Amino acid sequence: MSESPKSYWAIDGPALIEQLQTSVKGLSGIEANGRLSADGPNLLKPAKKSGTLNLFLRQFKSPLIIILLAAAVISAFLADSTDAIIIIAIVLISALLGFGQERSATNAVAKLLALVQIKASVIRDNAVISIPTEEIVRGDVVTLSAGDIVPSDCRIIESRDLFVDEATLTGETYPVEKLEGTLAADTPLEKRTNTLFMGTHVVSGTATAVVVSTGKSTEFGQVSERLRSKSPETEFEHGIKHFGYLLMQITLIMVFSIFAINVFLNKPILDSFLFSLALAVGLTPQLLPAIISINLAHGAKRMAESKVIVKRLSSIENFGSMNILCSDKTGTLTQAVVQMRSAVDIRGNEGKTIRLYAGLNSYYQSGFSNPIDEAIRKEVQFNLSEYEKLDEVPYDFTRKRLSILLKTRDGRHLMITKGAFASIDGICTTEENSDGKRSSYVSVQAQAVQKSTELGQQGFRVLGVAYKDLGVEDKITRESEKDMTLIGFLVLFDPPKPDLPRTIEDLRNLGVTLKVVTGDNRFVAAAVMRQVGFPEPRVLTGPELRLISSEGLVKRVNETDVFAEIEPNQKEQIILALKKGGNVVGYIGDGINDASALHAADVGISVDSAVDVAKEAADIVLMEKDLDVLLDGVREGRKTFANTMKYVFMATSANFGNMFSMAGASLFLSFLPLLPKQVLMVNLMTDMPETTIATDNVDAEQVEKPRRWDMKFIRRFMLLFGLISSIFDYITFAVLIFVLNASPDQFRTGWFIESVLSAVIIVLVIRTRRPFFRSRPGRYMMATSAAIIMITLALPYIVPQGILNFQGLPPIFLALTALIILLYIATAEMAKRYFYRNNMN
């Protein structure tokens, strides 16, 4: 079982099954588990390892942390081993803090992703069961139907009207018909009609197939480097990465400068080196990756409570930033319960033959299940024993029609075709009314078009029904669809959801504009839009879209409410044009024809009941196809983004303030302003409240409209609040030196207390745009902040001086510290009001 049979498409079916040591009844569960252990999972790339040890080691991936640990070990042999032990202990405690949070987040996300796992139907132990696609093994027998993704490379055992979209592998635009049989060994890949390839998907029909290759051994695994590469960065990921680089560069420049100044002033070289390293660790936002992961995981958990499952965590930010949502019509705007109103000829007269032929077409079609065929089957009663299915040309999104060839009891071979009226209109040469009288279609075509338009303007979905007697022919192709007889229309309707106008208004209030993209005709789409709150919807049709240049389309898409009569490839074109116009675009779809648009959107959204190919392409999966569910998800996405930005604001303002303070203190002090272990202790103490940001409350105005990464905004915030922080550090220095005549240990103790208390308390100011006393923090943040304040005040008195070199301070200093912090809060509040008044659009 180490490798697939060579040229398996050229091996006789029974012989291939024997080579694979399986049978048409599939494998046993025990045998399948053994093969899975031997061959590995059915994946193109190994599953990402996130075991306990890996997560823990990830906390030390920063080069600065590694250098600091090494330097601490060296100092243990050269200087004070107690200091080295304390430094290592503080780094380990900080790592354990990040590890605990990330492990909890990783486990939560894994459980959520399991809810929307892509599964395949296989025959095991003589029963059809559903298993995750990564558990497929060679020799498994899989069953496939319309909408399924082919889970691995397979050889067809049997099929019925099977058409597969292989565009992802071969580039072939149209679905390819697949049949059982044996081919020549030199048959090229694109002509292997008896083979199914991993990553392609079934458009129509059914099949049973035996798996011959899995994972990297498949055609996709061998030729698709693109799929093995990392997913493209989202705008947020890109911004975070470059912001981190900027902060690191500035920090390193400052740290090297501080080290050089300390050495120039004849301070101990080893202490200066350790101090500079500790300062680098304290000033870089090393918690930023962990905070982002924790925030996104908490956001995913909250969104799951709103029945929104996040497949790609980084898409949460885009979800919150989304300002345009493109949606299909059926099931999202409407109730997805299609009802048949009537079956009429072009004169408006009811016709039994129309109902009968439409019912036969819907009953015998073997493509993907859809609400229209279900509605027709429910309404039409007929005797199946009088008909035998001979052949089928499945529905596809280019022809927009479906043909069935039946043998009647009297021996006639009857082809019945139904589809969008525009697709039926061009293949008819005669017309038959409800009384059975025929006439030339040319003479009544204008009347037929007028009747179809009239029904469409009333908001009805109109399908044309036509037939043709093929004599003794028992096979049909697309070319057979000509010279047909139109017998009339099926008139269908799908009522809008009753609470939809309110939901659309709520989306508008959140800054999200809804645009509908549908294959329905312009009149039906416009009628539905009028019913849900668009008095005069602006419509652009597929045929009109083809005549517009790329540049012109970028302008038109922003001005359009409804895209009607749209072909699948045009959906992607619309999404890309909206993105070029500067929008963050979400697309919600659940059909086979939505996959490319889902890939193109900033946020691809599908539903749990969607076909596999749509669910696989989506970033986010709704457990219910309801815009109300989506609304909750948008709010949660924005809360997650808001909480992530809180940490960015806190870290940047505190870090830059400390850098300015450290640089200045190094110039005029004859001793290090803080010992290395004290710098790390400040870092550890101030990090603890910030790890609770993911659970913090978010003010209503922070979710009112989409927010995007804005480097200039953050830089301005960083400089203003960093400068304010530094000013109050210098005030603290002045009090310690000129008022208290502090010794080096007293100076360090005093600055340590002020640094930690001001950093913890200022978090409560920076986390909101409101006055801090009018915005309630999360209870975990409040509890952690209170605990850190008490520990900080107690440390100089409860820890022996030789361990952290802290010294108790007189009560007057604590009183003056309280006064400094009150002034700091008041100044930050005024600065915050000024900043947001002048920097918000």
Side-chain angles (χ1 to χ4, degrees), residues 82 153 189 238 318 323 536 569 612 655 742 808:
T82 303
D153 286 2
L189 183 142
H238 182 77
N318 278 347
N323 67 308
E536 295 295 333
N569 63 310
D612 283 352
N655 289 356

Side-chain angles (χ1 to χ4, degrees), residues 618-655:
D619 301 306
I620 288 171
V621 178
L622 309 182
M623 302 310 284
E624 292 180 7
K625 192 173 184 181
D626 191 330
L627 286 183
D628 269 335
V629 172
L630 191 66
L631 202 63
D632 292 336
V634 170
R635 291 192 184 100
E636 289 301 338
R638 292 185 184 173
K639 288 178 183 178
T640 301
F641 179 59
N643 281 335
T644 302
M645 296 311 295
K646 286 177 190 177
Y647 175 76
V648 172
F649 291 151
M650 293 169 193
T652 53
S653 56
N655 289 356

Side-chain angles (χ1 to χ4, degrees), residues 444-491:
V444 295
Q445 186 175 20
Q447 187 177 356
V449 171
Q450 182 181 350
K451 186 63 179 177
S452 171
T453 303
E454 178 187 309
L455 291 167
Q457 288 174 334
Q458 296 172 33
F460 295 113
R461 176 87 176 259
V462 181
L463 300 184
V465 182
Y467 77 97
K468 180 181 180 181
D469 191 331
L470 290 182
V472 296
E473 290 184 37
D474 57 6
K475 293 288 182 184
I476 55 174
T477 65
R478 292 181 180 87
E479 286 67 39
S480 304
E481 296 172 336
K482 61 183 180 180
D483 301 327
M484 301 194 72
T485 300
L486 177 71
I487 55 174
F489 306 118
L490 287 179
V491 184

Side-chain angles (χ1 to χ4, degrees), residues 597-705:
L598 288 165
H599 273 300
D602 292 299
V603 189
I605 306 162
S606 194
V607 292
D608 189 43
S609 58
V611 297
D612 283 352
V613 67
K615 206 156 59 170
E616 177 70 17
D619 301 306
I620 288 171
V621 178
L622 309 182
M623 302 310 284
E624 292 180 7
K625 192 173 184 181
D626 191 330
L627 286 183
D628 269 335
V629 172
L630 191 66
L631 202 63
D632 292 336
V634 170
R635 291 192 184 100
E636 289 301 338
R638 292 185 184 173
K639 288 178 183 178
T640 301
F641 179 59
N643 281 335
T644 302
M645 296 311 295
K646 286 177 190 177
Y647 175 76
V648 172
F649 291 151
M650 293 169 193
T652 53
S653 56
N655 289 356
F656 270 77
N658 284 335
M659 268 197 288
F660 296 144
S661 302
M662 290 287 184
S666 296
L667 287 172
F668 66 79
L669 291 177
S670 60
F671 53 87
L672 291 177
L674 286 176
L675 298 175
K677 58 190 174 185
Q678 293 169 342
V679 174
L680 293 175
M681 182 60 74
V682 170
N683 190 40
L684 176 65
M685 301 290 273
T686 55
D687 276 347
M688 284 186 178
E690 292 172 354
T691 60
T692 65
I693 286 173
T695 62
D696 191 24
N697 298 323
V698 176
D699 299 334
E701 60 268 21
Q702 289 181 287
V703 297
E704 280 178 351
K705 63 178 183 177

